[in-house]
Amino acid sequence: MRLRALLDTDALGLRLLGGEDELDRTVRGVMTTDLRDPSRYLSGGELVLTGLAWRRDAADSEPFVRLLVQAGVVALAAGEAELGDVPEDLVVACARHRLPLFAVHESVAFATITEHVVRQVSGERAGDLAAVVDRHRRMMTSGPAGGGPDVVLDLLGSDLDLRAWVLSPAGRLIAGSKVSGPALPAEACAGLAAEHLAATRTGRRGPHRVLLDGTTYSLFPIRSSGRSPQGARDVRETVLSDWLLAVEADAGDWPEERLDLLQGVTQLIAVERDRRDAARTVRRRLAQEVLELVQTGAAPAEIAARLRVAAPVLLPGLGAAPHWQVVVARVEWDGGEVEGGPVAQSLLEEILVDPLATGPEPSDRIAVAHTGDEAIALVPLPAVVAEHDGSESGIHADALLAAVRDPLAAGLDDDGRVTLGVSAAVHSAEGLRGALEEARHARRVAAARPGRVCAAGHQELASHVLLLPFVPDDVRRAFTARLLDPLRDYDRRHRAELIPTLEAFLDCDGSWTRCATRLHLHVNTLRYRVGRIEQLTGRDLSRLEDKLDFFLALRMS
């Protein structure tokens, strides 16, 4: 479609601010962004929609527009909801670079424009797509109540005789057609997710053709705005969290028009994904606030007050959560180029849902924060679960591991590892600190095991981990002073960083290579420092007992 056609649709609420001579440009796609530099997510030919959150002052407009032009963007549409009128400096910058600029009325959602552009672009390429997308647009524009991804999959089944499903990276069924046969079995979901992750790690472009149990499937990535594997700096940043569309057909036999059809459908489903991701922002902030209170030793009453604020968001309509669980995850990649915390955060948000639960809504009850290389999930247990206060309630490490191990191992390939730790359910703010320590220690137990994906639960922990937060202060001081004071004194005199080295060594489970990489040291330098620690303390870091003593001392200091 051409830019000029956008102005002919009153429902889009677009007003041209500049670039009238460029309105015959062809639009090939659409992207919504508020990144200061979205260029790595652009492939050329897009209409870019922005709410202007990237703009801090007038000087920001020129470099933003320049980056868009260099990436081949055909036009920019700026929303008026945030600042009122579109800033004059942005108008000037677009005019200087001959980039058409539209203003979007505050009453018009970017999702409406996105769906219109996808429908028009795809409709010009395939007649059958036009009917499907038009019907889907009418049902979805009102939001999730219109049916969400299930609606467009039903249309694929009824109009084009295509069976299709939306899957999470761990193989959970998020949406599926209800008009073309039985649901996809859980084993098939996990198998397709594993095949998709393995293909993505090889760098092959979708769709990926897969033969599973005698049936041929074509797998299409669902690329939400700013999350395209081709646009990311490293595919490992998104491979463990992106959805996929599985179609029971061999796309290798399709004409170009039919491939365009499915690509358009993935963009429509991505709208729902974007809505879900936007809703995560509040939950992430709540989790971060609670985590900071717990880690800084805030009073239980203060933590309880924050939990009362969080509960209605995480359990809408169900009131306060009687019980909570903590899940800790760490994602580690060889070489250390990819930061593990954000990847683990997105991963937990995808997998901490009952594998038998369909739809994106259950994940709205998971709050995940990340600190350093680990992600921490605060999982509320509603009354229906909490009433069964026994070993069978809540999330279990073995069940969680069984549900996600095979697909995630394929995405990790030979250079990644995921370790998970699960706490017991706690029923008060006083128990959260112990639950966090418990989940972290359980993850360390998992890390000591072989395999790409490992998990451990609270049942596998010794009692001292449960009691650690409640050790009297005088006992803490005496214990930590005997082990750590010689190292602190040495660090003060020589700036040797023995304490940070000890923490990293234990955190890497005694792995010389991983610890040296994390500290940016030669292995021989690391061995020298560990030898100095052993000499000053009279301990042997190859012995489990001494490692445990140091671990406890660091945790209680």
Side-chain angles (χ1 to χ4, degrees):
M1 68 176 298
R2 300 191 182 279
L3 286 175
R4 192 179 306 278
L6 295 173
L7 294 174
D8 297 333
T9 306
D10 294 337
L12 298 184
L14 295 178
R15 180 164 49 89
L16 184 64
L17 300 182
E20 185 173 359
D21 295 336
E22 308 293 333
L23 292 181
D24 287 327
R25 292 183 180 184
T26 300
V27 180
R28 295 187 176 88
V30 62
M31 175 188 175
T32 300
T33 185
D34 276 313
L35 296 173
R36 295 172 68 85
D37 179 9
S39 58
R40 64 181 180 271
Y41 302 120
L42 297 166
S43 57
E46 294 94 349
L47 166 68
V48 169
L49 310 175
T50 180
L52 299 175
W54 51 266
R55 182 185 178 276
R56 298 173 184 171
D57 55 47
D60 291 334
S61 292
E62 169 65 23
F64 180 78
V65 172
R66 184 172 63 251
L67 289 168
L68 296 186
V69 172
Q70 291 172 351
V73 168
V74 298
L76 175 65
E80 296 179 322
E82 183 72 18
L83 302 178
D85 294 333
V86 176
E88 182 62 22
D89 48 270
L90 182 59
V91 177
V92 172
C94 288
R96 181 180 300 116
H97 290 277
R98 300 180 64 85
L99 181 68
L101 175 64
F102 299 93
V104 182
H105 193 271
E106 63 181 2
S107 64
V108 178
F110 283 174
T112 300
I113 300 174
T114 297
E115 292 166 3
H116 176 83
V117 172
V118 171
R119 177 170 59 88
Q120 293 298 323
V121 170
S122 302
E124 292 174 0
R125 296 175 182 169
D128 55 357
L129 174 62
V132 172
V133 174
D134 183 61
R135 287 173 59 187
H136 173 66
R137 181 193 63 79
R138 291 197 300 270
M139 290 189 230
M140 262 193 89
T141 48
S142 61
D150 296 280
V151 173
V152 70
L153 298 186
D154 284 343
L155 293 174
L156 285 176
S158 61
D159 289 26
L160 303 177
D161 197 25
L162 289 175
R163 299 185 69 206
W165 304 267
V166 178
L167 305 176
S168 79
R172 185 173 68 87
L173 182 63
I174 294 171
S177 173
K178 299 179 179 63
V179 300
S180 56
L184 195 65
E187 297 79 7
C189 291
L192 292 174
E195 293 283 356
H196 175 74
L197 293 178
T200 301
R201 288 305 310 277
T202 66
R204 303 203 322 263
R205 294 178 62 88
H208 309 304
R209 181 181 179 276
V210 173
L211 183 64
L212 187 67
D213 296 330
T215 302
T216 300
Y217 299 89
S218 296
L219 310 179
F220 294 78
I222 295 177
R223 299 165 183 160
S224 298
S225 300
R227 295 174 58 87
S228 166
Q230 279 72 26
R233 291 187 295 270
D234 193 310
V235 68
R236 294 174 295 182
E237 295 177 2
T238 59
V239 68
L240 298 183
S241 56
D242 279 340
W243 291 354
L244 67 135
L245 175 67
V247 180
E248 189 180 295
D250 187 350
D253 298 333
W254 287 358
E256 193 67 28
E257 291 80 5
R258 184 58 62 92
L259 288 173
D260 288 341
L261 167 97
L262 268 296
Q263 296 293 354
V265 168
T266 62
Q267 292 184 48
L268 289 171
I269 296 173
V271 173
E272 184 67 33
R273 174 66 186 265
D274 289 342
R275 289 188 182 119
R276 197 277 308 267
D277 285 347
R280 283 178 170 174
T281 303
V282 174
R283 299 194 302 278
R284 285 179 171 181
R285 185 169 64 248
L286 287 171
Q288 196 71 46
E289 291 174 355
V290 173
L291 175 62
E292 289 174 0
L293 290 174
V294 171
Q295 293 191 128
T296 55
E302 186 177 0
I303 300 174
R306 177 51 55 187
L307 288 177
R308 284 193 294 273
V309 173
V313 176
L314 302 177
L315 293 170
L318 298 180
H323 288 59
W324 300 84
Q325 274 185 283
V326 175
V327 180
V328 172
R330 185 184 291 266
V331 176
E332 297 173 295
W333 302 101
D334 292 351
E337 296 94 349
V338 178
E339 187 179 357
V343 178
Q345 182 180 44
S346 295
L347 176 62
L348 279 184
E349 289 170 332
E350 288 296 333
I351 70 175
L352 285 182
V353 181
D354 182 349
L356 299 180
T358 60
E361 291 78 10
S363 64
D364 293 345
R365 297 176 180 177
I366 308 296
V368 187
H370 76 83
T371 175
D373 289 331
E374 72 178 7
I376 301 166
L378 186 65
V379 184
L381 304 180
V384 67
V385 174
E387 286 172 359
H388 299 82
D389 189 12
S391 60
E392 298 303 316
S393 64
I395 296 171
H396 293 269
D398 53 353
L400 182 62
L401 180 62
V404 304
R405 178 172 47 209
D406 292 343
L408 294 186
L412 294 165
D413 199 11
D414 292 327
D415 62 345
R417 194 157 192 250
V418 172
T419 50
L420 303 160
V422 182
S423 79
V426 296
H427 58 81
S428 65
E430 290 89 342
L432 276 181
R433 184 180 176 193
L436 177 57
E437 290 290 340
E438 190 175 65
R440 280 175 166 163
H441 193 69
R443 192 209 63 79
R444 291 177 179 274
V445 171
R449 297 170 176 166
R452 289 287 169 189
V453 185
C454 299
H458 63 94
Q459 302 93 337
E460 304 173 60
L461 302 184
S463 60
H464 68 267
V465 177
L466 302 176
L467 300 175
L468 187 60
F470 308 106
V471 174
D473 289 343
D474 57 341
V475 176
R476 286 173 179 264
R477 286 192 293 269
F479 182 77
T480 58
R482 281 196 297 270
L483 265 70
L484 301 183
D485 279 1
L487 306 182
R488 291 169 176 152
D489 293 340
Y490 192 87
D491 280 348
R492 279 194 295 269
R493 294 196 307 269
H494 302 283
R495 297 182 180 178
E497 297 188 349
L498 296 185
I499 292 290
T501 299
L502 175 62
E503 291 176 331
F505 187 73
L506 294 176
D507 202 41
C508 292
D509 305 306
S511 168
W512 297 99
T513 303
R514 282 195 288 138
C515 184
T517 299
R518 177 177 297 187
L519 295 175
H520 306 290
L521 297 175
H522 192 278
V523 173
N524 289 342
T525 303
L526 176 61
R527 291 185 184 277
Y528 171 81
R529 288 188 182 181
V530 170
R532 179 65 68 185
I533 292 170
E534 294 174 334
Q535 181 184 27
L536 291 170
T537 61
R539 300 300 185 105
D540 182 354
L541 276 168
S542 65
R543 298 178 67 248
L544 177 60
E545 293 86 349
D546 289 340
K547 285 181 181 177
L548 180 58
D549 284 346
F550 277 122
F551 168 76
L552 292 173
L554 289 168
R555 286 295 176 269
M556 290 192 296
S557 63

